[in-house]
Amino acid sequence: VKTTLYAILGDGAFRQYSADYSYDPLGNDPPSAAWPELQLTDVWRKREITNRQYGWVPSLQWQHARGRLTAGLELLRHTGHHQGFIVDGLDPQPIAADLVLYDYRNRKRTAGLFVRESWQAAERLTVDLELQATHHAYAMRDDQVRGYSWDSGYGWVTPRLGLSWRAAEHARLYLSLSTARSEPTFSNVWDPQDPSANPLPLFASFDQATRHLEDAQARPERLRAAELGGSWGNARLQLKANAYWMDFRDELVFAGGLDDDGLPITDNAARSLHRGLELELAAQLPGQVRLSGHLAVSDDVLKDYVLQYAPGPEGTVDYSGNRIALFPERQARLRLARRFGALDLSFGLRHVGRIYLDNSQN
C-alpha cells in the first residue's frame, strides 16, 4: 500500500507594455461610470495569479501467482485567483489609480480511479488490462468586473488492452489498443481575460438574473489508438520498430493566431488522424565507437475541421484534408560517439521535415 499527499503553491506576476491601449473591461456590455472606455498611451499592464493545488493519491499493489494487480485513486482540488491591472499609463495625464482589467477565481475538482492487471497468460505472453474512470468539475466565481459565474463537468471511462510476447530470447513483440480522454483547459472553455470574448454562445444555458452559465460547449479530446511494435537486440546491436494509429475526435489543434499573452489559440477539430512509423538503432562498432539512430515518419491529417472565426458563412474556412499545423512530416537523428578516458566525443546529425505553421497547408 502506498499513499501520497501533495500541495503545489504558486504565486506570480508579469508586466506587459503597450504604446496604445483601448481600456474596455466590459467588452460587449455598455460602459459604465465604474468601468468606462478609455484610450490610453504608454500603458503597463500587470497580471497576477495565485494558484493552490492539493492532492491525495493512494494505491494498492498485489503480486499474485500469475501477475500483478494495481489499483489507485486520485483526488485533486485546484483553485486560482487571476487579477489584471493597468498600473501605469497616460489619459492624457498619468492615471491616478490602478485600473482593473479582470479579477476572478476558478476551481477544478478531479476524482479518478484506475485498476490495472498485468497477467502472465503463458510463459512468453503477458496481457495488460486497464480501466480508468475520471470526473472533472469546473467552476468560476467572484468575477468582480462582469459578474459572470459558471459550472461545467467532464467524465468518462477509458479501457486499455496490451499484449507482450517474447518471441525469442532477444526478440519481443507488443500490441496495444487503448482509448483516452483529455479535458479542455479553462481558457479553452472561455477566457475571461479577453473582454471581447462573449461567453453566452460557449455554454448551453445562461441565467440572465444571476449571470450564471452552465454546461460548457468546449469538448474533451477523445482518442482511439492502436500500436504495434517489436524489438530485437544483443550485446552489440539493438533494433526497435513501432507503428501507431491515433484517431482523434475534438482534438485541440492550433487555430491560427496568438492570444494577448503570445500563446497559440486552439480549437476543437471534429476529427483528426495521426499515423506513423518509428525506427530505432543502437550498435557497438569496432574501436569502441557507438552508433545510434532514430527515424520517424508521420501522417497527421485534419479529416474534418471547419474553423468558425466570425459569424455567418463568410466567417468559416474548411481545413478538412489538410496536414495539421506544427507536426513535422519526418524526423531523423544519427549520432556517433567514442569515449577517450574521461572525455566523451560525439558527432550528431538531425533532420526535421516540412512543418506547416498553420492549417492551410500553404
Side-chain angles (χ1 to χ4, degrees):
V1 176
K2 284 173 54 178
T3 188
T4 300
L5 291 168
Y6 67 87
I8 302 172
L9 314 178
D11 297 272
F14 64 93
R15 303 208 314 166
Q16 295 170 293
Y17 175 77
S18 298
D20 296 288
Y21 187 80
S22 297
Y23 176 71
D24 182 17
L26 296 183
N28 297 313
D29 295 333
S32 65
W35 310 106
E37 293 181 4
L38 301 173
Q39 292 297 320
L40 306 175
T41 59
D42 289 331
V43 168
W44 280 98
R45 286 171 290 160
K46 184 178 181 181
R47 299 175 180 266
E48 298 179 356
I49 184 171
T50 299
N51 277 328
R52 298 291 182 263
Q53 184 164 307
Y54 307 97
W56 179 41
V57 188
S59 65
L60 168 69
Q61 189 175 106
W62 175 40
Q63 195 79 28
H64 54 84
R66 298 295 296 274
R68 183 175 64 253
L69 176 68
T70 306
L73 174 70
E74 179 184 16
L75 299 177
L76 175 150
R77 176 183 170 87
H78 167 89
T79 59
H81 186 193
H82 302 257
Q83 295 176 286
F85 308 92
I86 293 180
V87 296
D88 198 5
L90 302 176
D91 180 31
Q93 301 299 317
I95 59 173
D98 293 351
L99 299 174
V100 177
L101 293 166
Y102 56 84
D103 186 343
Y104 63 92
R105 298 175 187 269
N106 56 23
R107 183 185 72 219
K108 179 182 179 183
R109 293 172 177 168
T110 296
L113 174 68
F114 72 90
V115 179
R116 182 186 302 120
E117 168 66 22
S118 184
W119 177 46
Q120 197 71 38
E123 182 181 357
R124 295 187 174 187
L125 178 64
T126 302
V127 179
D128 289 309
L129 300 168
E130 183 175 328
L131 192 65
Q132 183 171 347
T134 307
H135 184 265
H136 303 282
Y138 284 35
M140 189 188 90
R141 297 289 187 271
D142 302 329
D143 181 359
Q144 302 298 320
V145 178
R146 290 192 278 175
Y148 286 114
S149 64
W150 63 267
D151 288 272
S152 194
Y154 298 92
W156 48 75
V157 176
T158 52
R160 175 184 173 271
L161 167 66
L163 303 174
S164 178
W165 179 44
R166 187 162 54 87
E169 182 180 358
H170 301 293
R172 185 177 72 92
L173 298 173
Y174 63 86
L175 169 68
S176 172
L177 303 173
S178 63
T179 63
R181 301 289 187 271
S182 179
E183 72 277 15
T185 64
F186 277 98
S187 59
N188 288 133
V189 174
W190 169 47
D191 184 6
Q193 298 182 23
D194 181 1
S196 64
N198 182 10
L200 271 62
L202 306 179
F203 293 83
S205 65
F206 175 57
D207 186 331
Q208 179 68 45
T210 61
R211 295 179 74 84
H212 183 73
L213 304 124
E214 289 191 354
D215 300 327
Q217 304 284 7
R219 300 176 296 276
E221 295 180 307
R222 298 173 292 155
L223 170 67
R224 293 179 299 161
E227 201 169 354
L228 176 65
S231 63
W232 178 90
N234 56 30
R236 302 190 65 84
L237 179 65
Q238 294 87 44
L239 300 171
K240 294 181 181 179
N242 181 67
Y244 64 88
W245 174 86
M246 303 169 67
D247 188 356
F248 276 93
R249 298 298 194 276
D250 298 317
E251 181 181 7
L252 289 167
V253 299
F254 180 46
L258 304 174
D259 66 13
D260 197 40
D261 296 323
L263 301 175
I265 298 171
T266 59
D267 187 37
N268 285 114
R271 185 186 175 201
S272 51
L273 189 63
H274 300 261
R275 296 172 290 189
L277 178 65
E278 301 169 326
L279 303 173
E280 289 187 45
L281 163 71
Q284 188 70 42
L285 303 181
Q288 298 183 334
V289 176
R290 306 186 307 276
L291 170 68
S292 61
H294 173 82
L295 173 65
V297 180
S298 67
D299 182 34
D300 309 276
V301 180
L302 293 162
K303 303 296 286 186
D304 181 9
Y305 178 41
V306 178
L307 175 65
Q308 185 85 37
Y309 64 89
E314 65 281 358
T316 63
V317 58
D318 190 349
Y319 289 130
S320 301
N322 289 0
R323 186 169 182 86
I324 305 175
L326 308 183
F327 282 88
E329 295 173 334
R330 60 191 174 275
Q331 298 186 75
R333 296 173 184 259
L334 187 66
R335 185 171 181 265
L336 284 170
R338 190 183 190 282
R339 179 171 288 278
F340 299 89
L343 180 65
D344 191 65
L345 292 180
S346 66
F347 173 75
L349 293 172
R350 183 183 180 208
H351 168 76
V352 179
R354 188 202 313 266
I355 304 174
Y356 290 105
L357 300 182
D358 64 29
N359 294 314
S360 66
Q361 195 173 312
N362 183 334

